[in-house]
Amino acid sequence: MQIVETTNEGLKRAYTVTIPATEISARIEGEVKRMAPQMKMPGFRPGKVPANLVKKMHGPALHQEALQTSIKEAMDKLVADNALRPAMQPDVSLGEGYEEGKDAELSVSLEVLPKIEAPAIDGLKLEKLTVPVSEESVDEQVQRFAEQQKSYETVEDRAAADGDQVLCDFVGKLNGEEFEGGKAEGQAIVIGSGRLIPGFEEQLIGAKAGEERTITVTFPEDYGAENLAGQEATFDITVHEVKVPGETKIDDDFAKQLGLDSLDQLKGLLRGQLEQETAGLTRTQMKRQLLDQLAAGHDFDVPPTMVEAEFEQIWQQLQNEAANEEDPEAARAEIEAEKDDYRKIAERRVRLGLLLSEIGQANGVEVSAQEMQMLLQQAAQQYRPEDRERFVDYVRQDPMAAAQLRAPLYEDKVVDFLIEKAEVTEREVTRDELQAAIEADADEVKTDAKPKKAAAKKAKKAEAGEEAATDTEAGEAVIDAEPKKAPAKKAKAAEPATDDGAEAEGKPAKKAAAKKKPEADEGDVAAEGEAKPKKAPAKKAAAKTED
């Protein structure tokens, strides 16, 4: 085998590799000898099939397999002999005109990881903003929880008032004709909830059980259904019941209705949730400080292919989000104007990833086999039961897929290691102040070149979550105040809608927290020095199952 280097510029490398025809032929002969004793063919005793007949029957397949094996071994030798650390999979092409019996000439191009001196980790200083959980905040959570558990009691001969629940049927009409999605039966509507289009709930005030009435409403100009936006419509309503909110007494009995022993136990659980939430926010704030310090102190070339892969992932996410905005074209125009900034974000993320990887390796940070097994099993759960084993096998056989799966946990472990090494000062703040600090950091244009408007908006959505209408009821889908998100998005297994306190009145479930803005200060690292490919292994595996 002959290897000749043709390019060595910066992080770019190129080679020509020649695999002798004799080497490929030897592999084929070896495989024929292995197969012949196991083959059966009419007219020959078992194991006595001549080698030439084996080659005649399986020649093309044997040649292809031998060629692929030779190429793989050639790549392994190329990387080992030249002490290369490929940033991504090398681009390998077989010379034109190749045919069996000729030497195989390969053109190989790749980018390598930069040599990074292990950075000094002494002198890191971080401010830890902590939020003490007060009894008042716990009581507020208990009260909010009680509101979510509110029950309604039917009353006789009473006109509906603000805050009451009305159980009714309705039929919507546009220009006297029923329209799709404007009809529902047994719909529970809470007057004053603001969940339906403006004017709908208010016109139910004064209604009584058994009453029929027709109301007129005008759909908002920006309504999601184009045929209804800005249109005046009528709804024929039949009221079945009027219900008033029952009094929810917050005591031990209330807690027992929830399956708990006491009110103190409920408060303890809610206090734990608050502490966990604020601890997560505190860690986000500290991590951003840490990565800003690392980014400010290190500047080195990064492989363009890694940057492009990272950018493509960010860009695809932004395009998907834009498609679900009220005005998709305007949203696309906004991100298009900031395209260069997003590319800088991608470059910073790659640089931080490589830097954290180097720190982790230099300090013995690693993901254990047990931790990797847990990651693998968790990731496999997103697939159908019959596809999970194939996904697991795929990740185990593909080092780069395994590296990607391992990378987020590896990053967390390196970040935790650095936080432990840093000089940390603590300062108590309110939750609002902590949230403001995180959002201010997200909005600040520093070395990460974050787009100014989008970063703060997306970060805020990521922390707070975003209401999304659901179409669980035909009528509900149409008259809901903001049916702006595409139903298709809810269908994705990776983004299930969560029933966050949806009540009997048909309150739409909240969607899972909005996708986090691809901030530059969240450097995804490559596990154990591997370049982290940005094409998710999940996509590859999914493609296999769909074939």
Side-chain angles (χ1 to χ4, degrees), residues 88 111 303-315 339 343 346-347 350 534:
M88 302 286 279
E111 290 173 356
T305 52
M306 291 184 72
V307 174
E308 187 61 26
E310 181 69 37
F311 171 76
E312 286 300 324
Q313 185 190 42
I314 292 173
W315 196 247
K339 194 169 187 175
R343 198 173 292 278
E347 182 177 335
V350 171
K534 284 300 177 181

Side-chain angles (χ1 to χ4, degrees), residues 220 222-225 323-328 467-470 477 480-487:
D222 61 351
Y223 194 73
N324 291 304
E325 292 290 344
E326 278 185 67
D327 188 343
E467 288 289 345
T470 63
D480 202 295
E482 295 186 16
K484 296 172 184 176
K485 304 297 178 186

Side-chain angles (χ1 to χ4, degrees), residues 28 106 132 304:
I28 295 173
L106 309 177

Side-chain angles (χ1 to χ4, degrees), residues 109-173:
S109 60
L110 70 156
E111 290 173 356
V112 296
L113 296 175
K115 292 183 179 179
I116 307 170
E117 295 297 328
I121 57 176
D122 297 328
L124 292 173
K125 295 183 179 181
L126 302 174
E127 183 181 41
K128 181 179 182 179
L129 303 183
T130 61
V131 180
V133 176
S134 65
E135 285 303 315
E136 290 78 7
S137 61
V138 173
D139 289 341
E140 288 176 4
Q141 284 293 97
V142 173
Q143 186 63 47
R144 189 175 296 115
F145 192 75
E147 285 293 320
Q148 292 177 352
Q149 304 301 316
K150 184 186 297 182
S151 61
Y152 291 85
E153 301 172 356
T154 301
V155 291
E156 300 295 338
D157 196 28
R158 180 187 183 285
D162 190 36
D164 289 350
Q165 184 187 81
V166 177
L167 191 67
C168 61
D169 301 338
F170 58 77
V171 177
K173 296 179 180 179

Side-chain angles (χ1 to χ4, degrees), residues 187-261:
Q187 184 73 35
I189 300 171
V190 176
I191 300 175
S193 65
R195 199 177 60 76
L196 305 184
I197 57 177
F200 194 104
E201 295 170 10
E202 293 82 351
Q203 294 184 64
L204 293 177
I205 292 176
K208 293 184 177 181
E211 179 182 337
E212 295 182 357
R213 64 169 56 183
T214 298
I215 67 173
T216 302
V217 297
T218 301
F219 284 90
E221 293 290 343
D222 61 351
Y223 194 73
E226 293 183 6
N227 64 313
L228 298 176
Q231 297 294 312
E232 185 178 87
T234 62
F235 284 87
D236 297 331
I237 300 173
T238 301
V239 178
H240 296 299
E241 294 180 58
V242 174
K243 299 183 176 184
V244 296
E247 181 182 356
T248 302
K249 189 176 181 181
I250 301 175
D251 54 15
D252 287 343
D253 288 337
F254 171 67
K256 288 176 181 178
Q257 291 174 12
L258 301 174
L260 303 176
D261 294 332

Side-chain angles (χ1 to χ4, degrees), residues 179-389:
F179 56 85
E180 185 179 357
K183 183 177 181 179
E185 295 180 355
Q187 184 73 35
I189 300 171
V190 176
I191 300 175
S193 65
R195 199 177 60 76
L196 305 184
I197 57 177
F200 194 104
E201 295 170 10
E202 293 82 351
Q203 294 184 64
L204 293 177
I205 292 176
K208 293 184 177 181
E211 179 182 337
E212 295 182 357
R213 64 169 56 183
T214 298
I215 67 173
T216 302
V217 297
T218 301
F219 284 90
E221 293 290 343
D222 61 351
Y223 194 73
E226 293 183 6
N227 64 313
L228 298 176
Q231 297 294 312
E232 185 178 87
T234 62
F235 284 87
D236 297 331
I237 300 173
T238 301
V239 178
H240 296 299
E241 294 180 58
V242 174
K243 299 183 176 184
V244 296
E247 181 182 356
T248 302
K249 189 176 181 181
I250 301 175
D251 54 15
D252 287 343
D253 288 337
F254 171 67
K256 288 176 181 178
Q257 291 174 12
L258 301 174
L260 303 176
D261 294 332
S262 64
L263 180 59
D264 286 341
Q265 185 182 12
L266 174 60
K267 287 186 175 183
L269 291 172
L270 294 176
R271 182 182 291 106
Q273 289 180 0
L274 288 172
E275 290 172 347
Q276 187 175 14
E277 289 173 9
T278 55
L281 293 174
T282 294
R283 188 181 187 281
T284 296
Q285 171 257 338
M286 292 184 70
K287 178 179 177 180
R288 288 182 174 175
Q289 285 185 70
L290 172 66
L291 296 182
D292 277 343
Q293 289 185 40
L294 292 175
H298 300 86
D299 187 17
F300 49 84
D301 290 338
V302 293
T305 52
M306 291 184 72
V307 174
E308 187 61 26
E310 181 69 37
F311 171 76
E312 286 300 324
Q313 185 190 42
I314 292 173
W315 196 247
Q316 185 60 52
Q317 177 182 327
L318 292 170
Q319 291 287 341
N320 291 340
E321 291 175 352
N324 291 304
E325 292 290 344
E326 278 185 67
D327 188 343
E329 289 304 317
R332 290 190 188 98
E334 181 179 354
I335 62 173
E336 189 69 37
E338 297 173 333
K339 194 169 187 175
D340 289 343
D341 289 332
Y342 286 111
R343 198 173 292 278
K344 291 176 183 177
I345 288 175
E347 182 177 335
R348 171 182 154 120
R349 284 181 62 168
V350 171
R351 184 175 290 110
L352 280 170
L354 295 174
L355 190 59
L356 289 175
S357 179
E358 198 69 33
I359 293 172
Q361 289 185 80
N363 292 277
V365 178
E366 59 184 28
V367 174
S368 68
Q370 183 178 3
E371 289 171 328
M372 187 61 190
Q373 181 64 22
M374 289 178 62
L375 289 174
L376 191 55
Q377 295 303 321
Q378 289 171 0
Q381 294 305 308
Q382 67 181 297
Y383 297 101
R384 297 173 300 181
E386 60 268 27
D387 295 329
R388 290 171 187 168
E389 186 175 349

Side-chain angles (χ1 to χ4, degrees), residues 403-420:
Q404 180 182 4
L405 186 62
R406 183 170 49 232
L409 177 58
Y410 187 73
E411 171 185 340
D412 283 342
K413 297 186 78 165
V414 176
V415 168
D416 289 341
F417 168 79
L418 290 173
I419 289 176
E420 288 179 4

